[in-house]
PDB file of all heavy atoms in Angstrom:
ATOM      1  N   THR A  76     -20.598 291.180  28.359  1.00  0.00           N
ATOM      2  CA  THR A  76     -21.534 291.057  27.400  1.00  0.00           C
ATOM      3  C   THR A  76     -22.685 292.015  27.424  1.00  0.00           C
ATOM      4  O   THR A  76     -23.252 292.144  28.553  1.00  0.00           O
ATOM      5  CB  THR A  76     -22.175 289.507  27.452  1.00  0.00           C
ATOM      6  OG1 THR A  76     -21.101 288.625  27.297  1.00  0.00           O
ATOM      7  CG2 THR A  76     -23.099 289.326  26.356  1.00  0.00           C
ATOM      8  N   ASP A  77     -23.001 292.656  26.291  1.00  0.00           N
ATOM      9  CA  ASP A  77     -24.227 293.627  26.212  1.00  0.00           C
ATOM     10  C   ASP A  77     -25.325 292.629  25.815  1.00  0.00           C
ATOM     11  O   ASP A  77     -25.260 291.720  24.885  1.00  0.00           O
ATOM     12  CB  ASP A  77     -24.068 294.528  25.084  1.00  0.00           C
ATOM     13  CG  ASP A  77     -23.072 295.680  25.421  1.00  0.00           C
ATOM     14  OD1 ASP A  77     -22.876 295.918  26.601  1.00  0.00           O
ATOM     15  OD2 ASP A  77     -22.768 296.367  24.420  1.00  0.00           O
ATOM     16  N   VAL A  78     -26.348 292.626  26.619  1.00  0.00           N
ATOM     17  CA  VAL A  78     -27.561 291.792  26.442  1.00  0.00           C
ATOM     18  C   VAL A  78     -28.653 292.836  26.089  1.00  0.00           C
ATOM     19  O   VAL A  78     -29.026 293.615  26.869  1.00  0.00           O
ATOM     20  CB  VAL A  78     -27.891 290.985  27.535  1.00  0.00           C
ATOM     21  CG1 VAL A  78     -29.224 290.292  27.357  1.00  0.00           C
ATOM     22  CG2 VAL A  78     -26.749 290.090  28.099  1.00  0.00           C
ATOM     23  N   THR A  79     -29.199 292.588  24.866  1.00  0.00           N
ATOM     24  CA  THR A  79     -30.205 293.495  24.433  1.00  0.00           C
ATOM     25  C   THR A  79     -31.487 292.691  23.932  1.00  0.00           C
ATOM     26  O   THR A  79     -31.326 291.674  23.302  1.00  0.00           O
ATOM     27  CB  THR A  79     -29.803 294.254  23.102  1.00  0.00           C
ATOM     28  OG1 THR A  79     -28.658 295.075  23.583  1.00  0.00           O
ATOM     29  CG2 THR A  79     -30.790 295.297  22.672  1.00  0.00           C
ATOM     30  N   PHE A  80     -32.660 293.152  24.321  1.00  0.00           N
ATOM     31  CA  PHE A  80     -33.918 292.349  23.985  1.00  0.00           C
ATOM     32  C   PHE A  80     -34.774 293.527  23.005  1.00  0.00           C
ATOM     33  O   PHE A  80     -34.852 294.585  23.542  1.00  0.00           O
ATOM     34  CB  PHE A  80     -34.647 291.968  25.182  1.00  0.00           C
ATOM     35  CG  PHE A  80     -35.915 291.213  24.852  1.00  0.00           C
ATOM     36  CD1 PHE A  80     -35.869 289.854  24.591  1.00  0.00           C
ATOM     37  CD2 PHE A  80     -37.241 291.806  24.900  1.00  0.00           C
ATOM     38  CE1 PHE A  80     -36.945 289.118  24.135  1.00  0.00           C
ATOM     39  CE2 PHE A  80     -38.277 291.136  24.599  1.00  0.00           C
ATOM     40  CZ  PHE A  80     -38.195 289.655  24.243  1.00  0.00           C
ATOM     41  N   ARG A  81     -35.094 292.995  21.809  1.00  0.00           N
ATOM     42  CA  ARG A  81     -35.610 293.931  21.006  1.00  0.00           C
ATOM     43  C   ARG A  81     -36.764 293.211  20.117  1.00  0.00           C
ATOM     44  O   ARG A  81     -36.668 292.036  19.885  1.00  0.00           O
ATOM     45  CB  ARG A  81     -34.573 294.333  19.998  1.00  0.00           C
ATOM     46  CG  ARG A  81     -34.907 295.264  18.908  1.00  0.00           C
ATOM     47  CD  ARG A  81     -33.608 295.969  18.414  1.00  0.00           C
ATOM     48  NE  ARG A  81     -33.402 295.482  17.156  1.00  0.00           N
ATOM     49  CZ  ARG A  81     -32.643 296.077  16.140  1.00  0.00           C
ATOM     50  NH1 ARG A  81     -31.917 297.213  16.486  1.00  0.00           N
ATOM     51  NH2 ARG A  81     -32.538 295.750  14.926  1.00  0.00           N
ATOM     52  N   THR A  82     -37.824 294.040  19.818  1.00  0.00           N
ATOM     53  CA  THR A  82     -38.821 293.600  18.861  1.00  0.00           C
ATOM     54  C   THR A  82     -38.374 294.139  17.472  1.00  0.00           C
ATOM     55  O   THR A  82     -38.178 295.300  17.226  1.00  0.00           O
ATOM     56  CB  THR A  82     -40.159 294.160  19.276  1.00  0.00           C
ATOM     57  OG1 THR A  82     -40.574 293.623  20.566  1.00  0.00           O
ATOM     58  CG2 THR A  82     -41.178 293.700  18.329  1.00  0.00           C
ATOM     59  N   ILE A  83     -38.459 293.172  16.501  1.00  0.00           N
ATOM     60  CA  ILE A  83     -38.277 293.580  15.121  1.00  0.00           C
ATOM     61  C   ILE A  83     -39.465 293.330  14.317  1.00  0.00           C
ATOM     62  O   ILE A  83     -39.998 292.170  14.338  1.00  0.00           O
ATOM     63  CB  ILE A  83     -37.011 292.939  14.570  1.00  0.00           C
ATOM     64  CG1 ILE A  83     -35.731 293.304  15.351  1.00  0.00           C
ATOM     65  CG2 ILE A  83     -36.789 293.303  13.032  1.00  0.00           C
ATOM     66  CD1 ILE A  83     -34.482 292.555  15.027  1.00  0.00           C
ATOM     67  N   THR A  84     -39.823 294.261  13.436  1.00  0.00           N
ATOM     68  CA  THR A  84     -40.900 294.014  12.630  1.00  0.00           C
ATOM     69  C   THR A  84     -40.591 294.177  11.065  1.00  0.00           C
ATOM     70  O   THR A  84     -39.940 295.232  10.706  1.00  0.00           O
ATOM     71  CB  THR A  84     -42.165 295.042  12.922  1.00  0.00           C
ATOM     72  OG1 THR A  84     -42.622 294.821  14.247  1.00  0.00           O
ATOM     73  CG2 THR A  84     -43.432 294.798  12.004  1.00  0.00           C
TER      74      THR A  84
END
Side-chain angles (χ1 to χ4, degrees):
T76 302
D77 286 340
V78 178
T79 304
F80 185 76
R81 180 167 114 155
T82 300
I83 299 172
T84 302

